[in-house]
Amino acid sequence: GTVKAWRSNPNRGDVDPELEVHYTHREEGERVVTMDGTHDADKKPVLLVSRGDGVVRVYDLPSFKPRGQIHCNGEVTATSLRTPGVIFTGDASGEVRVAKWTPAAAS
């Protein structure tokens, strides 16, 4: 139930870089099944996390502020972000969903 994002320790330089935890977030209630990171249409980093409940949660990074959800028909066992701006999910029911980022509305 814990999501951790790791990065190279910036103080180590190029000599034997060590990994350190950069972000940590606890997912309550369900185990984490898949996760992937990307940038939204406004070039802000986000993390997609699927749990056993059929919902892919989208979080802003590094705050982990909830950003949105993609509801599916079963446990999401696959996510793909290979096409810029497009998210593919596959769930236990056999359904594949496609979601597309849109830029935030101007304030």
Side-chain angles (χ1 to χ4, degrees):
T2 300
V3 173
K4 291 184 180 184
W6 299 75
R7 70 174 180 182
S8 294
N9 183 329
N11 297 323
R12 296 275 303 182
D14 292 334
V15 180
D16 295 326
E18 291 182 2
L19 291 177
E20 65 181 12
V21 175
H22 188 58
Y23 307 119
T24 300
H25 177 72
R26 177 89 179 129
E27 286 287 313
E28 296 299 325
E30 293 280 343
R31 72 192 186 289
V32 173
V33 178
T34 67
M35 64 181 163
D36 210 341
T38 189
H39 289 87
D40 67 10
D42 298 316
K43 308 293 186 227
K44 295 179 182 173
V46 294
L47 182 69
L48 288 82
V49 178
S50 74
R51 303 183 337 190
D53 61 359
V55 178
V56 177
R57 287 156 178 84
V58 182
Y59 297 104
D60 281 328
L61 289 178
S63 68
F64 277 96
K65 177 181 174 187
R67 175 78 175 271
Q69 298 180 344
I70 301 169
H71 293 269
C72 299
N73 290 330
E75 180 179 274
V76 177
T77 56
T79 57
S80 176
L81 304 167
R82 297 188 187 274
T83 303
V86 180
I87 302 163
F88 298 90
T89 64
D91 65 40
S93 75
E95 185 170 274
V96 174
R97 292 181 185 265
V98 181
K100 183 171 174 42
W101 285 111
T102 56
S107 302

